[in-house]
Amino acid sequence: SPANINSTGAAAVLVMEGSASVAANQLTFDVSGLPASTFGFIVAGQGAQMVMPAGSQGLLCVAGGPTGIARLTSTLFQATIAGAATGSIDLSTPFPTTPTTPVVAGATWNFQVFYRDANPGVTSNYSNATSILFQ
């Protein structure tokens, strides 16, 4: 943190809200600073890293740990004209890793937003990353 800037001249900012209780299943996300109307989704992993994937202008801070990175396509969003998006993460369904991995109490997961940008050509970028120790 902070994330690399995007075509707006700012960085995308991810904030996780709700409960860290797996049983409560009330985890939400708010992301701002996105390019208007861009598409994105949450990526999650049990490890951390700092790499710039080929073709991206952002840093991927989430690593897979023992099972890989989960692309939470159920969180797919299109940002508003103001460059914001909100959604929820279903903790009752195992994350799509290889093999699938349930979120359990005592596990730490890292979250980040992957999104599309044009800066000036078509590329991708990432928000800041955040970590949650689930209960």
Side-chain angles (χ1 to χ4, degrees), residues 64-80:
T67 59
I69 295 174
R71 292 163 183 83
L72 303 180
T73 55
S74 63
T75 65
L76 180 66
F77 62 80
Q78 182 175 15
T80 65

Side-chain angles (χ1 to χ4, degrees), residues 21-134:
S21 167
V22 176
N25 195 16
Q26 295 178 342
L27 185 62
T28 62
F29 68 89
D30 291 303
V31 60
S32 60
L34 295 163
S37 303
T38 194
F39 287 94
F41 58 87
I42 300 285
V43 294
Q46 291 183 291
Q49 64 182 349
M50 190 172 286
V51 299
M52 185 175 289
S56 179
Q57 68 181 31
L59 294 172
L60 175 61
C61 299
V62 171
T67 59
I69 295 174
R71 292 163 183 83
L72 303 180
T73 55
S74 63
T75 65
L76 180 66
F77 62 80
Q78 182 175 15
T80 65
I81 294 295
T86 61
S88 61
I89 296 175
D90 184 5
L91 301 176
S92 68
T93 302
F95 284 178
T97 55
T98 306
T100 59
T101 307
V103 177
V104 296
T108 298
W109 283 84
N110 304 301
F111 298 91
Q112 193 171 17
V113 172
F114 165 89
Y115 62 96
R116 293 292 184 189
D117 198 8
N119 199 17
V122 176
T123 188
S124 62
N125 204 336
Y126 295 89
S127 70
N128 62 302
T130 188
S131 183
I132 299 175
L133 172 59
F134 286 98

